[in-house]
Amino acid sequence: MSTALPKGLFISFEGIDGAGKSSHIEALAQAFRDQGRVVTLTREPGGTPLAEKLRALMLHDAMDPLTEALIAFAARRDHLVQVIEPALARGEVVISDRFTDATFAYQGAGRGFSWEQLSALERMAQTGTALQAGQAPDFMREPDMTLWFDLPAEVAAERLATARVPDRFEAQPGEFFARVAQGYAERARTAPQRFVRIDAHASRHAVWQQITQAVVRKGWLAIMVGSKP
């Protein structure tokens, strides 16, 4: 008799550059592994050979906001088809460093591109990719939970000042990141059932506690005593 696969989970980490989300992604992945789950760690833009090539273009080549948005969604479609949906169909936990909310925050709020047009692209790129039996053809894939690292833009700028050589997004002025932060806040407002706000200005340990509490409340992990990133 075959054993049914556990339900796949899709968790995204979001936040402006410098918010500190990357330092907690591997820790959460390990927490799931420690409790017997298979984890796929990935990122956007990127996650597949094609999407990584598109990522390099977005980060380093000058282009207008529409071109950025089209590249982001092209990379996302390939990422969904090649990596995310197969992993979810196998019952894995998919943890992605950014997903569609980043496009609304960066190309939408940051660059000033139309959210209405982004919504149309979102529907186009993320519909009809699901591999699980029983999913309707018009099902649009979204994360089951989005952990939003909320940090004031000026604090993020201070952190980035000592980082590596910046890409074309990291090199943007503070006003750009303030708009991006507002974009994330708007996405959170419109999807409160999916977003979990993380106070990214707190200590590293306090941030980790916020993350684990959010996942434990969902029943996806048992209480983790003494775990830390």
Side-chain angles (χ1 to χ4, degrees):
M1 181 181 294
S2 62
T3 302
L5 288 170
K7 180 181 182 296
L9 294 174
F10 183 15
I11 300 172
S12 61
F13 278 62
E14 293 284 359
I16 62 176
D17 292 276
K21 56 187 170 53
S22 299
S23 61
H24 294 277
I25 291 176
E26 174 57 41
L28 183 60
Q30 190 58 49
F32 275 107
R33 295 187 193 109
D34 289 345
Q35 297 194 11
R37 298 298 299 266
V38 177
V39 179
T40 291
L41 274 180
T42 190
R43 68 176 182 176
E44 288 215 349
T48 71
L50 173 59
E52 290 293 334
K53 293 176 183 176
L54 296 174
R55 175 190 179 90
L57 292 175
M58 282 187 68
L59 295 186
H60 303 294
D61 290 16
M63 60 189 72
D64 78 329
L66 174 56
T67 304
E68 279 187 3
L70 291 171
I71 288 176
F73 279 110
R76 183 161 301 125
R77 176 76 184 191
D78 191 61
H79 191 203
L80 279 165
V81 171
Q82 300 296 334
V83 174
I84 295 175
E85 294 296 354
L88 292 175
R90 294 190 297 267
E92 297 177 12
V93 177
V94 176
I95 302 177
S96 183
D97 186 350
R98 295 204 170 110
F99 194 62
T100 308
D101 299 302
T103 306
F104 280 83
Y106 278 81
Q107 281 71 50
R111 300 292 196 201
F113 190 71
S114 165
W115 279 44
E116 182 179 356
Q117 290 177 307
L118 289 177
S119 294
L121 291 172
E122 177 185 32
R123 174 64 60 180
M124 184 183 301
Q126 294 166 221
T127 298
T129 62
L131 302 177
Q132 293 96 322
Q135 293 286 14
D138 62 349
F139 171 76
M140 187 181 80
R141 174 64 66 192
E142 291 183 296
D144 297 298
M145 175 185 285
T146 295
L147 297 166
W148 167 40
F149 281 54
D150 187 17
L151 186 73
E154 60 272 17
V155 177
E158 292 174 4
R159 293 180 180 179
L160 288 174
T162 58
R164 64 192 182 283
V165 176
D167 59 41
R168 59 188 290 266
F169 288 96
E170 293 169 337
Q172 292 296 310
E175 294 81 1
F176 174 82
F177 287 108
R179 294 194 300 272
V180 171
Q182 291 171 357
Y184 274 123
E186 177 61 17
R187 284 287 279 183
R189 186 190 66 80
T190 59
Q193 75 288 350
R194 175 168 63 84
F195 267 79
V196 176
R197 178 186 176 275
I198 303 297
D199 178 6
H201 205 184
S203 69
R204 182 181 176 89
H205 179 65
V207 168
W208 175 241
Q209 286 185 315
Q210 293 174 70
I211 294 168
T212 55
Q213 287 169 4
V215 179
V216 168
R217 279 196 301 269
K218 285 284 192 179
W220 297 340
L221 283 175
I223 296 175
M224 296 171 287
V225 179
S227 65
K228 59 183 180 179

